[in-house]
Amino acid sequence: MKRILIATTNKGKLREFRDLLSGLNIEVLSLEDMENKIEVEEDKETFLENAIKKAKEYAKFYNMPVIAEDAGLEVQELNGYPGVYSARFYEIDFGGKEDITENKDKANIKKLLRLLQGKENRDARYVSVVVFYNPEDFGIWTEGFCYGKIAEKPIGEGGFGYDPIFIPQGYDKTMAQLSPEEKNKISHRGIAVRKLINILEKVIH
Amino acid sequence: MKRILIATTNKGKLREFRDLLSGLNIEVLSLEDMENKIEVEEDKETFLENAIKKAKEYAKFYNMPVIAEDAGLEVQELNGYPGVYSARFYEIDFGGKEDITENKDKANIKKLLRLLQGKENRDARYVSVVVFYNPEDFGIWTEGFCYGKIAEKPIGEGGFGYDPIFIPQGYDKTMAQLSPEEKNKISHRGIAVRKLINILEKVIH
């Protein structure tokens, strides 16, 4: 059976990946299964460049096929911010810094709501770029988008990241109010991962 | 029939791509077939980043699937140089600049031979990274390598680039002395493009 390493330390993402990949006949490893650890900095300008950087560095270090992802929220009124800075939006200069009171997700959400206070245009999209890389051979990337609006205040306990303030198009609740199955059906990550699986099923034997 | 744009202005590369892709049931367009022109600068640090940048920018501008490539020569004694600078090695600071007397290929070769004068280690490899991108959907990249040695002086009239001074492993002549068919069989580009075709045949319908 093929073994693939999912290169994420984000427990929420890992859970979603395991669900989505469960139909493929492969053994899914996570970074927690690996004895030796390396850190890969996500310092590139695009989701794709970050995801490829992670996939290539982990694949080289562990000498096995890797799936890596970079994802984020692009808010129209903020010219696409937080974008690649989504995970650490609270601490970047753009729009002023925010203290962590409970956790990073909450600090990020607090800052975003502050910047959108009184703004009419609350259009946003979640973007996911998922990369598969087999060392010194080939790579595949897929893109998934989920369009929606930013809520006035956080609602719901599911998901992670900006889910409590992201209302997907056609819904009257936030992403954090959806069940994991509902979220995977419409989410940027679900869309990108299903596209990848669709290709991998044809290419990997 | 599917249409794919080959995003290169290098006539040598375009000829090789057309030969290699002739077995696929697709219409191959080149940048010369396009009425409106854009320039994409290859200013990234890796072959993959350059090839992806080209593929994405052309795909967005022309709104169609694109194949782009970046390739170069990595010389062990020069820590991998000329690498991503292969096409304009003559004019970069590393190792001193070289005047163009006849053409860029000859100026690049002259500089490389000057830097390797009297050196014992003449090991090198050609690297090709080929990218296919279907806008807002998915991308594939493949890697091809051709290992060899740098000759003492240029021989042969075929190919382009560093071919007159590149002796592939297992051969006693330079890449520029091979027929186009022989070169495609062993070349970095031939290997990467065949891998890509093998995947595209399964994925594109």
Side-chain angles (χ1 to χ4, degrees):
Chain A
M1 197 204 274
K2 290 263 176 198
R3 300 160 80 228
I4 294 183
L5 172 67
I6 308 294
T8 183
T9 51
N10 180 319
K11 284 187 202 308
K13 276 193 195 182
L14 182 62
R15 197 172 49 236
E16 293 183 5
F17 267 110
R18 283 196 187 278
D19 284 355
L20 288 160
L21 290 167
S22 58
L24 264 190
N25 185 33
I26 48 170
E27 184 186 355
V28 175
L29 301 177
S30 83
L31 290 176
E32 287 188 354
D33 300 319
M34 312 312 273
E35 215 167 294
N36 299 309
K37 309 283 185 191
I38 50 163
E39 289 258 340
V40 180
E41 214 187 329
E42 301 182 29
D43 53 2
K44 295 283 185 176
E45 285 167 30
T46 66
F47 298 120
L48 177 57
E49 285 174 353
N50 275 329
I52 286 179
K53 184 183 176 188
K54 283 191 280 185
K56 291 199 90 163
E57 293 195 17
Y58 285 112
K60 196 176 169 190
F61 187 76
Y62 294 116
N63 193 27
M64 63 182 294
V66 165
I67 290 177
E69 190 224 22
D70 197 28
L73 181 70
E74 294 180 341
V75 177
Q76 212 173 61
E77 180 72 27
L78 306 179
N79 295 315
Y81 273 89
V84 289
Y85 307 105
S86 292
R88 53 189 185 87
F89 190 43
Y90 72 95
E91 66 169 11
I92 68 168
D93 283 336
F94 177 95
K97 300 186 183 189
E98 202 72 44
D99 287 333
I100 297 182
T101 48
E102 288 173 81
N103 59 46
K104 288 182 185 179
D105 281 354
K106 293 213 168 145
N108 287 330
I109 285 175
K110 196 173 163 198
K111 175 165 170 177
L112 185 58
L113 289 179
R114 172 168 60 72
L115 293 176
L116 288 184
Q117 211 159 27
K119 302 288 185 188
E120 256 183 46
N121 180 2
R122 304 183 77 87
D123 287 351
R125 66 175 189 180
Y126 264 132
V127 182
S128 164
V129 179
V130 179
V131 168
F132 168 87
Y133 180 58
N134 197 40
E136 299 229 328
D137 189 12
F138 74 98
I140 297 165
W141 79 90
T142 55
E143 303 172 13
F145 302 92
C146 181
Y147 290 82
K149 284 191 185 300
I150 302 303
E152 298 285 342
K153 59 180 202 303
I155 314 173
E157 302 297 326
F160 60 93
Y162 298 87
D163 289 352
I165 55 166
F166 186 83
I167 303 171
Q169 225 166 47
Y171 285 74
D172 57 2
K173 44 190 175 181
T174 70
M175 198 83 119
Q177 294 177 284
L178 303 182
S179 70
E181 296 73 31
E182 278 178 300
K183 178 181 171 183
N184 280 344
K185 241 182 249 171
I186 62 158
S187 81
H188 51 310
R189 183 168 303 107
I191 292 166
V193 173
R194 278 191 299 275
K195 278 188 198 173
L196 179 68
I197 289 172
N198 190 29
I199 297 175
L200 286 181
E201 278 174 340
K202 294 173 185 149
V203 171
I204 290 189
H205 305 285
Chain B
M1 197 205 274
K2 290 264 177 197
R3 299 159 81 227
I4 294 184
L5 172 67
I6 308 295
T8 184
T9 52
N10 179 320
K11 285 188 202 308
K13 277 194 193 180
L14 182 62
R15 198 173 47 235
E16 293 183 6
F17 268 110
R18 283 196 186 277
D19 284 354
L20 289 160
L21 291 167
S22 59
L24 266 188
N25 185 32
I26 48 170
E27 184 186 352
V28 175
L29 301 177
S30 83
L31 291 176
E32 287 188 353
D33 300 320
M34 312 311 271
E35 215 168 297
N36 299 310
K37 309 285 183 189
I38 50 163
E39 288 259 339
V40 180
E41 214 186 330
E42 301 181 31
D43 53 2
K44 296 282 186 178
E45 284 166 32
T46 66
F47 298 120
L48 177 57
E49 285 174 354
N50 275 329
I52 286 178
K53 184 182 175 187
K54 282 191 281 184
K56 291 199 91 162
E57 293 196 16
Y58 285 113
K60 196 175 168 190
F61 188 78
Y62 294 116
N63 194 27
M64 63 182 292
V66 165
I67 290 177
E69 190 223 23
D70 197 27
L73 181 71
E74 294 181 341
V75 177
Q76 213 173 59
E77 181 71 28
L78 305 179
N79 294 315
Y81 274 88
V84 289
Y85 307 105
S86 292
R88 53 190 185 88
F89 190 42
Y90 72 95
E91 64 169 12
I92 68 167
D93 283 336
F94 178 94
K97 301 187 183 188
E98 201 73 44
D99 288 332
I100 296 183
T101 48
E102 288 174 80
N103 60 47
K104 288 181 184 180
D105 281 355
K106 294 214 168 143
N108 287 329
I109 286 175
K110 196 175 163 196
K111 175 166 171 177
L112 185 57
L113 290 179
R114 172 168 59 73
L115 293 176
L116 288 184
Q117 208 159 29
K119 303 286 185 190
E120 256 184 48
N121 181 0
R122 303 184 79 88
D123 288 352
R125 67 175 188 178
Y126 263 132
V127 181
S128 164
V129 179
V130 179
V131 168
F132 168 87
Y133 179 58
N134 196 41
E136 298 230 331
D137 189 13
F138 75 97
I140 297 165
W141 81 90
T142 54
E143 302 171 13
F145 302 92
C146 181
Y147 289 83
K149 285 191 184 300
I150 303 302
E152 298 285 341
K153 59 179 205 301
I155 314 174
E157 301 298 325
F160 60 94
Y162 297 87
D163 288 353
I165 55 166
F166 186 83
I167 303 171
Q169 225 167 45
Y171 285 75
D172 57 1
K173 43 189 176 181
T174 69
M175 198 84 119
Q177 293 178 284
L178 302 181
S179 70
E181 296 73 33
E182 279 177 299
K183 180 182 171 184
N184 279 344
K185 241 182 250 169
I186 62 157
S187 80
H188 51 311
R189 183 167 304 109
I191 292 166
V193 172
R194 278 191 298 273
K195 279 187 198 172
L196 179 67
I197 290 173
N198 190 28
I199 297 175
L200 286 181
E201 278 175 340
K202 294 172 183 150
V203 170
I204 290 189
H205 304 287

